[in-house]
Amino acid sequence: MLGPDGDFITSPEISQIFGELLGVWIISEWMGAGHPKQLQVVELGPGKGSLASDVLRVFTQLKSVLGDASVSLHLVEVSPALSRIQAQNLTGDQNQEADIEDEPVYRRGETATGLPVSWYLRLEDVPAGFSIFLAHEFFDALPIHKFQRTQKGWREVLVDIDPEKPEQLRFVAAMAPTLASSTLVQAGEKRTHVEVCAEGGVIVQQLARRIVEDGGAALIADYGHDGTKTDTFRGFKGHQLHDVLSSPGSADLTADVDFSYLRRMAEEGVACLGPISQRMFLKNMGIDSRMQVLLRNCSDPPTRQQLISSYDMLTNPNKMGERFHFFSLLHPSRLQKPQRPEGLKLEKKQTPVPLPIAGFTELSFT
């Protein structure tokens, strides 16, 4: 289902630059946290492992920056078939399945550089510790509740068998309030149609709690909006829009992520940044500078054209540039400004100014 021959292509499969810049972001946040001795990179729904592979390549290139930090990769993946593809791409033959079925880690491996990789079915099984969480096109694949405003109040949209065509499905509004429609629609909601991903809210709360308790950050990249859109539920098959109720189980189903809902669910324990467009995030991360270096070192015309084409796909406002957004959860200490000394007593050692948050502010290169 992934890649040119499948139902959809993700940014990491379009260009290695995307994953490289996210690798730089991870190291920047690790530095911003004061160079912890442990760095767990945790990816939710890693696809084929392309993003993780590009991130780890940056880690190898910047090994001198990471120093003696203990770095490990943790992949949360529910598909056994995809986990095997990820294992092959990341570790080659250096991986094996767990002997005990109920063990939290169901597969372990090691990259060519000796970095340990572990696979889990659930986020809560990933060990505690300073972690940078990545969720690229993860939240849009989670199930949603749909609600329609009616004259009698909010009603949940359900799936029913079409009585006139028993072999087909149809959408219907619930006859009466459901538990979901009574609890998931915000008071004062202005829209007439709302999609709520309750499971996404639970996962964001887990991420926020771990960031507060153990330190770290989360970077979420996805189709999305900030609480403005209504009906976004759609299907894709062979890179074409597909009726979500037609031949269920054979197409990719997606709904735009409501970042305002994720922000609300994260509550006040963490700092939330974004959403900002993928175009703005990648440009802030220095994609233009990276492109210039790659083009300067590339003399092969087809490869140069591929680089230019992938850059356009990622940043063009009419392609992925404005359709995808980045959103981050940070430990509140990352945004605290150092206090100025008061009175006559001056501290010899002043608190360093926090590093800017890469991607959400424009970085200057020296």
Side-chain angles (χ1 to χ4, degrees):
M1 61 184 179
L2 300 173
D5 300 323
D7 296 321
F8 61 98
I9 303 177
T10 62
S11 295
E13 264 120 36
I14 290 171
S15 172
Q16 69 179 61
I17 304 176
F18 183 88
E20 289 175 350
L21 294 179
L22 265 59
V24 172
W25 189 90
I26 291 170
I27 291 180
S28 177
E29 280 311 299
W30 171 79
M31 292 169 65
H35 303 75
K37 293 182 178 180
Q38 179 190 35
L39 170 56
Q40 294 188 158
V41 178
V42 183
E43 187 178 2
L44 309 181
K48 291 181 176 179
S50 303
L51 176 57
S53 178
D54 292 337
V55 166
L56 295 186
R57 187 170 58 254
V58 170
F59 285 8
T60 301
Q61 293 167 343
L62 298 179
K63 195 173 181 180
S64 60
V65 177
L66 289 165
D68 296 329
S70 173
V71 183
S72 54
L73 178 63
H74 304 261
L75 304 177
V76 180
E77 176 58 72
V78 297
S79 166
L82 279 175
S83 77
R84 286 191 289 272
I85 295 173
Q86 295 153 11
Q88 182 62 40
N89 289 339
L90 293 166
T91 68
D93 297 326
Q94 300 301 308
N95 70 89
Q96 60 182 25
E97 293 187 24
D99 295 330
I100 307 171
E101 282 192 14
D102 58 354
E103 189 178 343
V105 181
Y106 69 84
R107 184 187 294 276
R108 295 180 191 272
E110 194 175 90
T111 67
T113 60
L115 189 141
V117 186
S118 305
W119 280 261
Y120 312 81
L121 292 174
R122 306 180 307 164
L123 173 60
E124 48 265 43
D125 290 333
V126 177
F130 181 90
S131 303
I132 305 291
F133 300 93
L134 293 178
H136 179 262
E137 288 197 57
F138 171 77
F139 282 89
D140 73 280
L142 297 177
I144 57 164
H145 291 274
K146 290 172 72 68
F147 305 104
Q148 181 68 42
R149 189 195 298 273
T150 71
Q151 292 181 343
K152 297 180 180 179
W154 287 100
R155 291 293 183 266
E156 185 168 8
V157 178
L158 305 173
V159 178
D160 186 27
I161 294 173
D162 191 328
E164 296 179 4
K165 301 174 182 176
E167 73 282 358
Q168 292 186 14
L169 300 173
R170 64 172 184 170
F171 285 122
V172 294
M175 299 291 288
T178 61
L179 179 62
S181 67
S182 303
T183 55
L184 294 179
V185 181
Q186 278 288 109
E189 176 60 63
K190 299 288 194 296
R191 289 171 287 178
T192 57
H193 191 100
V194 179
E195 296 168 338
V196 179
C197 178
E199 189 174 336
V202 171
I203 291 172
V204 158
Q205 287 178 338
Q206 289 179 327
L207 294 174
R209 186 168 58 250
R210 293 179 68 122
I211 290 168
V212 170
E213 293 176 358
D214 305 319
L219 187 63
I220 299 168
D222 227 315
Y223 294 99
H225 59 91
D226 207 11
T228 54
K229 291 187 178 180
T230 55
D231 182 11
T232 71
F233 185 41
R234 58 202 182 278
F236 286 97
K237 190 169 185 178
H239 301 282
Q240 300 294 321
L241 279 171
H242 179 81
D243 179 4
V244 294
L245 297 182
S246 175
S247 55
S250 69
D252 171 51
L253 301 183
T254 182
D256 283 11
V257 177
D258 185 343
F259 290 109
S260 68
Y261 173 72
L262 297 188
R263 188 186 301 112
R264 205 158 55 238
M265 290 299 101
E267 299 174 330
E268 297 177 2
V270 291
C272 296
L273 291 184
I276 67 168
S277 70
Q278 176 167 294
R279 172 185 173 85
M280 180 68 70
F281 181 89
L282 294 179
K283 282 185 171 290
N284 284 345
M285 287 299 302
I287 190 172
D288 293 339
S289 301
R290 180 64 176 143
M291 271 293 294
Q292 289 171 10
V293 171
L294 290 173
L295 289 173
R296 195 160 56 237
N297 296 331
C298 177
S299 57
D300 179 50
T303 305
R304 287 177 64 87
Q305 186 53 48
Q306 185 183 5
L307 282 169
I308 293 168
S309 175
S310 62
Y311 171 86
D312 180 64
M313 178 64 78
L314 291 174
T315 60
N316 189 321
N318 297 319
K319 296 179 181 177
M320 287 181 161
E322 295 292 340
R323 294 176 66 191
F324 282 83
H325 292 81
F326 279 77
F327 181 81
S328 183
L329 307 178
L330 301 168
H331 194 279
S333 63
R334 274 295 278 122
L335 300 181
Q336 287 177 355
K337 294 181 179 179
Q339 294 182 342
R340 292 182 178 179
E342 297 180 0
L344 298 175
K345 186 179 179 182
L346 295 176
E347 296 286 342
K348 289 184 179 179
K349 186 179 179 183
Q350 293 188 358
T351 307
V353 177
L355 281 174
I357 310 300
F360 295 88
T361 49
E362 188 173 357
L363 301 183
S364 58
F365 295 88
T366 57

